[in-house]
Amino acid sequence: MDKPGKDDPSDIQMSDSEKNSGKQPVTACLFSAAFFGALGSSFIYGYNLSVVNAPALYIKAFYNKTWIERYGEPIAAETATILWSITVSIFAIGGLLGALSVSLILKVLGRKGTLLLNNVFAIIAALLLSLGERAQSFEMLIIGRLIIGVDSGIALSALPMYLGEITPRHIRGSIGQFNAILICLGVFTGQVLGLPELLGQESRWNHLFSFLALPAVLQLCVLPFLPESPRYLLMERRDEAAAERAFQRLLGKKDVSQELEEVHAEARAQENLCAASVLQLLRNPAVRWQLITIIITMACYQLCGLNAIWYYTNGILRDAGFAANIIPYITLSTGGVETLAAIVSGLVIERIGRKPLLIFGFSAMAVFFSLLTVFLNFQDSVSWMPYLSYSCILAVIASFCSGPGGIPFVLTGELFEQSYRPAAFMIAGTVNWLSNFAVGLLFPFIQEELQSFAFLVFVAVCILGSIYLCAVLPETKNKTFTDISQSFAKINNIAIPTPGHEMELVLTIGPDSNGKVQDIIKMESSF
């Protein structure tokens, strides 16, 4: 990557043509920020979704062994069930705590600083989880799962915000999908490392948790040398010089006046340049339908039934006649399909758009959940029916990852302007983790009552989500954050600011940290 300070005429001419076409290439700096940001964040979240599956029996045996050494008798079945349930579900509790605290951390440390701090949680969790057996303490495993949940709760808010703010609008969706791709890659990595030939053995299962430290350390080594969000630097830190340098590194060009002007325009359109609180966000009628849209989309993200699909996968494979010792290898296909679908979604999102992919994903999930319900009811009567059931499971996973698996996080960053974004991610994260906890808590009871018809509940969620998105959500691809906010103006019954009103907002901004009021007024006159 050329240094942005060089004044080669051919470089400047290329930059101008790219700016006019709106198709600037992805620089090594931008790609590194997206990849290493996601590696130490969403990858760890995805890895923790699958890592406890393979060693579950060994962890339960460790709990029983520790109980005998402490109390001289085997652990009661009911106590063992409670301890294991706490171990699994406390991950969501930690995620909720992380989501509730992320707004404050973002305000103090910024986007990059929050991601860097979050690695401390990941490393502490890795130590507790991997050393718990040696210390003969199952409490260390439970606390470790809580802490890694906090890490995931912070990551799923800070990372999408960082990616959305460092990326040019024409590739904002594609770069934003790094979040979803690395989640799926984390799930797949957890499945692979959990195989018996690797770390899925009684003598090695604690090393599965040691692996958590690797992506965190890699991010700590690379991310400090990459730029902070230029929008954060300009609008919240009021450091225009640092924001300009960040834009130059991320975009690989010297002239970033257009990008700076876009940020200034967003600043002028806002009532307040300081980060708004959650209460201010809830009270503001100008963002009411953006907030409703994010809450519904994030709730559908968890309530659409993907997490519940794992309850049936191994059972369907057993009913299809597969030997128990090869089921883990066949299950790898789910992680592979997840990753492939997320990559394809990232490649086409800027051509197709967010709205069509979301509606297609939820609608396709409704179709395949319906077919799965039919196939499950005929599974015992036809020998080859379990193969169709498993095909539906793969189709449900692919449909989810084609849009609903990553776009809700992209939308949360796009539907809100700078001052409301941290509070919006805090609300979205809270809805996400509460819905996650609700599925884990309620689905076993729904399954017990409805049996195979339990998936019809998710069919209803997917259909209702698709209808809402079709009726309310505007397309956001290749739009500025200000344009997106204005597209909600009519439904929010808010008048779009006139140029005269924008001038009033300019006068309320006041001098920036360098006293460059004239620069802002000069840009205002170009409107």
Side-chain angles (χ1 to χ4, degrees), residues 157-178:
S157 293
L159 176 69
M161 195 182 310
Y162 179 64
L163 297 182
E165 292 181 6
I166 66 174
T167 310
R169 63 176 182 267
H170 71 279
I171 54 172
R172 195 167 55 220
S174 297
I175 296 297
Q177 283 296 82
F178 269 77

Side-chain angles (χ1 to χ4, degrees), residues 329-372:
Y329 303 94
I330 301 174
T331 306
L332 287 179
S333 60
T334 60
V337 167
E338 268 191 311
T339 306
L340 181 61
I343 293 173
V344 171
S345 176
L347 293 174
V348 303
I349 187 173
E350 296 301 344
R351 294 184 180 182
I352 298 177
R354 286 71 155 149
K355 183 175 181 178
L357 284 177
L358 273 176
I359 294 173
F360 166 78
F362 282 128
S363 301
M365 289 182 74
V367 170
F368 290 116
F369 269 134
S370 300
L371 291 174
L372 179 60

Side-chain angles (χ1 to χ4, degrees), residues 29 270 315 339 367 373 445 458 481:
C29 181
Q270 295 187 51
T339 306
V367 170
T373 301
F445 299 101
F458 305 125
F481 295 118

